[in-house]
């Protein structure tokens, strides 16, 4: 089969009126009370994905409305060469324990939770077949100057680090009406 497995492309994450329903349906149907026993390792694997397109945007959790550690660049597509997901998908896995396909879980466990390199010649046809399905037809065809792309180590803020920073910002914010415009400063 040509194409990549799709993870986390939920209806609520794409509100463009010209798009049909997303391939993974509603995120609300995927939420579970607890995750997989190795959920932290699965999240780390998703965080380590190869970034295909770096999208400059901001987003919030579609279930709670809160900012999260993947708010910046949330719809950037990532891959491991077999599956493709949005950059914010690990947030939904670790926070809402969204259901993961058994085939994906088995795939990651067979790899011992380690991100594999991308072999451009093998990956390109799957990329070209999949990107139009997720709204990126302008990103086809795959162009790479390297035959093999090794996983890049990226600094990814953990959920605990993000939550601690958010709490610290809330504590340091002075009281007052933040909606009222400031008076102009005198020169």
């Amino acid at each position: 089969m040509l194409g990549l497995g799709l993870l986390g492309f939920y209806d609520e994450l794409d509100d463009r009126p010209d798009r049909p329903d997303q391939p993974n349906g509603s995120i609300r149907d995927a939420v579970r009370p607890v995750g997989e026993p190795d959920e932290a390792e699965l999240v780390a694997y998703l965080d380590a994905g190869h970034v295909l397109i770096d999208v400059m945007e901001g987003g919030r959790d579609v279930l709670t409305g809160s900012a999260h550690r993947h708010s910046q660049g949330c719809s950037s597509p990532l891959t491991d060469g077999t599956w493709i997901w949005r950059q914010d998908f690990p947030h939904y896995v670790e926070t809402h324990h969204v259901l993961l396909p058994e085939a994906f879980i088995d795939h990651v466990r067979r790899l011992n939770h380690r991100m594999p390199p991308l072999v451009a010649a093998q990956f390109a046809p799957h990329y070209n077949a999949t990107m139009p399905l997720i709204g990126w037809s302008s990103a086809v065809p795959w162009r790479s100057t390297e035959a093999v792309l090794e996983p890049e180590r990226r600094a990814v803020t953990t959920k605990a680090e993000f939550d601690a920073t958010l709490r610290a910002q809330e504590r340091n914010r002075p009281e007052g009406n933040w909606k009222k415009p400031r008076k102009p400063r005198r020169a």
Side-chain angles (χ1 to χ4, degrees), residues 5-163:
L6 303 174
L7 296 172
F9 290 93
Y10 298 111
D11 295 342
E12 294 85 352
L13 299 174
D14 189 353
D15 59 358
R16 291 179 287 170
D18 61 326
R19 292 290 310 277
D21 288 344
Q22 291 296 297
N24 297 129
S26 174
I27 193 170
R28 288 169 180 22
D29 297 335
V31 172
R32 299 179 309 154
V34 295
E36 294 294 323
D38 57 344
E39 184 175 82
E41 290 87 359
L42 293 166
V43 167
Y45 181 87
L46 291 164
D47 279 338
H50 299 272
V51 178
L52 298 175
I53 300 170
D54 199 2
V55 179
M56 301 298 288
E57 68 174 344
R60 295 188 164 273
D61 183 309
V62 296
L63 297 171
T64 66
S66 302
H68 56 82
R69 69 186 183 97
H70 290 299
S71 288
Q72 294 180 354
C74 59
S75 69
S76 298
L78 280 68
T79 191
D80 64 359
T82 303
W83 296 85
I84 188 168
W85 58 92
R86 291 169 45 108
Q87 183 171 296
D88 59 356
F89 186 59
H91 161 74
Y92 293 102
V93 173
E94 71 187 345
T95 304
H96 304 293
H97 315 293
V98 295
L99 183 64
L100 295 167
E102 280 300 318
F104 172 74
I105 294 169
D106 292 343
H107 168 74
V108 175
R109 289 176 179 159
R110 277 192 310 275
L111 293 170
N112 293 317
H113 301 93
R114 297 173 85 126
M115 184 58 56
L118 279 183
V119 178
Q122 294 171 357
F123 176 67
H126 298 288
Y127 172 92
N128 294 341
T130 305
M131 293 305 279
L133 299 176
I134 60 169
W136 287 100
S137 54
S138 62
V140 173
W142 170 257
R143 293 184 181 99
S144 177
T145 57
E146 308 211 15
V148 177
L149 300 166
E150 294 295 332
E152 293 181 13
R153 293 195 59 84
R154 294 177 301 161
V156 178
T157 304
T158 66
K159 183 175 181 343
E161 292 168 335
F162 180 82
D163 291 345

Side-chain angles (χ1 to χ4, degrees), residues 162-182:
F162 180 82
D163 291 345
T165 301
L166 212 55
R167 284 191 300 276
Q169 287 175 346
E170 289 170 358
R171 279 194 308 272
N172 293 332
R173 182 168 280 182
E175 298 297 321
N177 184 350
W178 286 86
K179 294 180 182 179
K180 184 177 174 184
R182 288 184 166 184

